[in-house]
Amino acid sequence: MKSLLNLILIILFSIPSLAQKTAADSWLNVPKSPDDRYTNPKSAVYAGPNGWWNFGEVRAEGVNSAALKYTFKGGLTTNSEVFILTESGKLQLFSMDFGTDEPALGVYQISKKEDKAAKKVKVSFSDVANKKIKNWSGADGAGTITVSKSGDFLYFKCRNVTLQPDGMSNEGDSKQPLKIGFEGAAKL
């Protein structure tokens, strides 16, 4: 009886800790809302899993030095099969090219060239501030992007994707690879 009670206590105390570990990977893009009318897929005014239409967040830093760091939230749009995240007033952009405006659901491998049939996506990050073009792009096997669906939204998520420097002005700290993460949703 005592061992059964111990087992029950272990299970009860493990459940909150498991829930916390899962939630730790989910980024908070927006402040918590007093209700769920914009984040509930059954609501008539559902605005995506983070409560905003066509919105996302990038977090990136240098592989060798934390001095190279980018973090921004912005608008997510699609233009000729490329999904682009930009923030108003910043000269930085994150792009994902799936070879289609509506990628199939699933896990896509980062690649130098997009291939929708093989589930490969071309990924890049650019910073053109100070009249200098600094760019990083994904090599074959640099990581993955998961595409899922939430209501009428495509939801994109990647973590720890390594992008290689390839811009005309990548010098100093920007010559190192960039480890990048992204989370965002786009209306279909």
Side-chain angles (χ1 to χ4, degrees), residues 69-86:
K69 191 170 191 169
Y70 295 97
T71 303
F72 70 92
K73 300 174 184 179
L76 181 62
T77 61
T78 183
N79 184 5
S80 300
E81 303 177 350
V82 178
F83 290 85
I84 301 169
L85 179 79
T86 58

Side-chain angles (χ1 to χ4, degrees), residues 35-160:
D35 59 50
D36 71 346
R37 67 180 161 214
Y38 299 114
T39 57
N40 183 348
K42 294 178 182 174
S43 169
V45 292
Y46 178 63
N50 55 10
W52 290 81
W53 291 77
N54 301 327
F55 186 81
E57 180 176 1
V58 163
R59 297 179 188 175
E61 66 179 42
V63 169
N64 304 320
S65 166
L68 179 64
K69 191 170 191 169
Y70 295 97
T71 303
F72 70 92
K73 300 174 184 179
L76 181 62
T77 61
T78 183
N79 184 5
S80 300
E81 303 177 350
V82 178
F83 290 85
I84 301 169
L85 179 79
T86 58
E87 181 182 16
S88 179
K90 285 196 176 180
L91 298 173
Q92 301 163 355
L93 64 92
F94 174 76
S95 67
M96 303 175 290
D97 184 351
F98 292 91
T100 179
D101 285 334
E102 289 191 38
L105 305 182
V107 177
Y108 285 75
Q109 294 294 318
I110 306 295
S111 180
K112 290 181 182 180
K113 185 166 174 36
E114 79 287 342
D115 183 345
K116 68 180 183 178
K119 287 202 167 180
K120 293 186 177 186
V121 58
K122 181 179 177 180
V123 174
S124 68
F125 178 78
S126 300
D127 177 1
V128 293
N130 302 319
K131 299 179 184 177
K132 293 184 176 182
I133 300 171
K134 293 181 275 186
N135 193 65
W136 293 264
S137 58
D140 293 340
T144 62
I145 292 182
T146 302
V147 179
S148 57
K149 192 172 180 189
S150 181
D152 290 336
F153 290 81
L154 285 177
Y155 191 72
F156 306 98
K157 180 178 177 179
C158 71
R159 296 288 190 272
N160 299 316

